[in-house]
Amino acid sequence: MTTPEQNEYLTRTGPGTAMGNLFRCYWLPALMAEELAEPDCAPVRVKLLSEPLIAFRDSDGRLGLIDEFCAHRGVSLWFGRNEESGLRCPYHGWKYDVTGQCVEVPSESVESGFCAKMKLKSYPLVERGGILWAYMGPPETQPALPEFEVAMVGPRQRFLSKRLQQNNYLQAMEGGIDSSHVSFLHRGALKTDPLLKNAQRSVQYNLQDFQVKFEVVESDGGLLIGARRNAENGHHYWRITQWVMPYFTAIPPRGDYSVGGHFWVPIDDESCWTWSYNYHPTHDIGEDEIKAMKAGHGIHVELIPGTFIPVKNVDNDYLMDRSAQKSGASFSGIDGVAIQDSSLQESMGPIQDRTRENLVSTDNGIILARKRLRKAAQSLQQGILPPGVQPASQSVRSAALVLPPDAVFKEAAKEALIARPGVPLTTI
Ligand code: FES
Ligand SMILES: [Fe+2]
C-alpha cells in the first residue's frame, strides 16, 4: 500500500524535494535541437523540474539555459532580444550572456561595478544526438554526457518527437514500465499500425497469449522487465524492456523496424514531456517509416502545428470513437498508441492518488521501479550518487527473442541487451 507521504515523495520534483534532487543528478532532455536551430534565433521558454527557464543560442552558437526572469524587475526574458552574443531584456536593456552573467546595464556606469554583480541562475545545456540536454544539479557532481544509443547514432538513423502530457511524470513512466497493457489497450493498433505490418510473427505471440508472465530483475542503471509468452514447441517468446533511472525506457523491437522508447521528463508536478524516439543501430531509417512516424503512427503523435500539444487531447476527448470501441477496431476507442496511453494516464488526474490503487502481479515492474527511485533518493542524502548516472549504464538495448523453456532471460539475452555500435538489434 502506498501512503500519501510515499506518493508525495515519489511525485514532487521541484527544488529542494528528495525526488527533485535525484533528477538533478542526471542530464535531462530539455529541448529538441531544432528548437534552437541557429545563432540568435528566438529564445524558448523551458520549464523543468518546476523551474521556469529560458533557453537561447547566442550569436556565436553557444547554448544558454538561464532563469526566465530579468534580475532588474522580473520581466520574462522570453521577450528578450537575442543579439550580439547575449539576451537583452526589452524593458530597460539589461543584457545577459549564456552563463547568466549580466554584461550590460545601460543606466549604470561600468566603473560602478554594478553590472558585474548581477548574475542569473544558469545551467549547462549541450547538444547530443538531436537533443539539448540540461544538467541542473551541483557542478561538482556533473556526470559525463549521456550515452543512450539513440543519442549516439547518426541523424538519419533516428527519429525524435516530444509531446506535452498533462500529468505527473511518474504515472506516465509507469505506463512505459507496465507492458501488460499492450495486449489490451493497444490490441487494435497491433493489427493496424503501419509500423507493425511487417512484424506479424511478434504480434501473433502478443495476441495469442494474454496470460503474460513477468520477471523483473535489477540492472546496473534500473530494471530489466521480461515479459514471457508461449511460443512454438514449449519455447517462450520474451520481450525485454529496459528502464534506466530516472526517466528512460526502451520498448522491445518488432521485426526489422527501428526500435523505440521514451524519456519522461517532469515539467512541473502536474505535467511532463513525453519524448518518443526510434532508431536503427546499423542503418538509416527508411523513408516509409519516417513518413508514418511523422503522421503520428507507432509511438509518435500528430501535433497541433507550431506546438508540442497533441491534436487529440483532453479538450476534444481525444476524439474518442465509441463505434470503434464497440466493434473492437480499437480497444479503448482512441486512435493511436501514444494517445491511447496519454488519454488514460491523464485521466488518472494530475497526480495519481496511489493510496487507492490495488496492484497485481503484472505491476511488479512499477513496484520495483518506485522502490529503486525511493532508495536512490534516500541514498543521495548520504552523498551516494544514484544508478543510471554513468554512461555505461545507459548503453543498453531492449530485445525480443524466443528462448528455450529453462532459459534464465537475463543470462540468455545478456549480449542482446548491451548497445554495441554496428551490431544489429535482437528482434523477432
Ligand atoms: S526589467 Fe529587465 S531591464 Fe528592467
Ligand atoms: Fe502503451
Side-chain angles (χ1 to χ4, degrees), residues 3-329:
T3 65
E5 293 72 29
Q6 286 168 338
N7 204 32
E8 286 278 301
Y9 192 89
L10 286 169
T11 52
R12 303 286 177 188
T13 57
T17 60
M19 208 48 61
N21 291 341
L22 183 75
F23 267 86
R24 284 169 176 78
C25 291
Y26 302 84
W27 287 98
L28 305 175
L31 297 123
M32 318 260 299
E34 68 230 37
E35 290 181 75
L36 293 179
E38 56 187 29
D40 287 341
C41 60
V44 179
R45 289 187 192 96
V46 182
K47 196 178 192 192
L48 286 175
L49 309 180
S50 300
E51 294 187 46
L53 304 163
I54 287 287
F56 68 106
R57 197 186 279 274
D58 76 4
S59 317
D60 309 306
R62 291 177 304 180
L63 293 164
L65 184 62
I66 65 176
D67 193 336
E68 177 176 350
F69 303 107
C70 180
H72 180 209
R73 276 167 42 208
V75 159
S76 169
L77 291 169
W78 179 79
F79 292 93
R81 300 173 59 93
N82 190 6
E83 58 189 14
E84 294 160 348
S85 302
L87 193 58
R88 191 185 292 279
C89 178
Y91 213 6
H92 314 93
W94 292 28
K95 185 175 168 187
Y96 304 90
D97 70 13
V98 288
T99 70
Q101 177 62 52
C102 187
V103 291
E104 217 184 307
V105 176
S107 62
E108 306 300 302
S109 69
V110 178
E111 297 75 48
S112 72
F114 177 81
C115 171
K117 282 185 251 158
M118 296 292 112
K119 188 170 189 302
L120 293 175
K121 172 173 75 181
S122 75
Y123 297 119
L125 185 69
V126 300
E127 181 168 352
R128 170 166 275 194
I131 298 172
L132 304 185
W133 303 81
Y135 175 72
M136 297 168 67
E140 59 280 10
T141 50
Q142 181 176 321
L145 290 180
E147 290 189 11
F148 297 100
E149 195 172 29
V150 60
M152 306 307 283
V153 297
R156 296 168 66 89
Q157 289 171 250
R158 69 169 166 261
F159 181 83
L160 295 168
S161 68
K162 72 170 187 183
R163 65 172 197 265
L164 177 69
Q165 214 173 305
Q166 301 196 47
N167 57 252
N168 185 263
Y169 83 96
L170 187 60
Q171 69 213 50
M173 184 166 76
E174 288 179 350
I177 293 171
D178 149 40
S179 67
S180 70
H181 75 273
V182 175
S183 303
F184 296 91
L185 178 61
H186 303 317
R187 188 184 300 180
L190 281 175
K191 294 179 203 152
T192 56
D193 194 291
L195 287 167
L196 292 173
K197 72 171 186 286
N198 295 330
Q200 284 305 308
R201 189 174 157 207
S202 91
V203 167
Q204 282 316 311
Y205 289 136
N206 262 83
L207 295 175
Q208 277 163 16
D209 186 0
F210 291 134
Q211 302 251 309
V212 50
K213 305 278 182 306
F214 284 90
E215 283 182 32
V216 187
V217 292
E218 288 200 350
S219 63
D220 278 356
L223 295 175
L224 289 171
I225 300 118
R228 194 188 79 197
R229 292 176 175 83
N230 291 327
E232 302 82 4
N233 307 320
H235 283 43
H236 292 133
Y237 171 62
W238 283 92
R239 293 182 60 73
I240 306 168
T241 300
Q242 292 266 8
W243 172 62
V244 179
M245 288 186 53
Y247 51 38
F248 171 89
T249 53
I251 302 166
R254 289 190 188 274
D256 292 328
Y257 291 111
S258 56
V259 64
H262 300 283
F263 293 95
W264 280 280
V265 183
I267 296 171
D268 52 30
D269 293 340
E270 301 194 346
S271 61
C272 64
W273 290 120
T274 299
W275 287 76
S276 301
Y277 65 78
N278 272 80
Y279 71 91
H280 251 307
T282 51
H283 56 85
D284 293 354
I285 302 184
E287 293 287 310
D288 285 355
E289 231 180 305
I290 296 276
K291 213 168 127 190
M293 289 190 279
K294 279 190 178 157
H297 294 294
I299 55 172
H300 302 276
V301 68
E302 193 187 350
L303 298 170
I304 296 172
T307 76
F308 293 101
I309 300 167
V311 169
K312 298 171 197 144
N313 59 49
V314 64
D315 295 330
N316 53 30
D317 282 334
Y318 311 91
L319 304 183
M320 156 72 86
D321 179 348
R322 291 285 177 193
S323 60
Q325 189 185 52
K326 198 160 249 177
S327 72

Side-chain angles (χ1 to χ4, degrees), residues 369-384:
R370 292 176 193 174
K371 217 172 172 175
R372 258 205 123 170
L373 284 171
R374 200 162 45 229
K375 223 173 109 191
Q378 287 162 350
S379 301
L380 184 62
Q381 286 171 333
Q382 268 90 61
I384 300 165

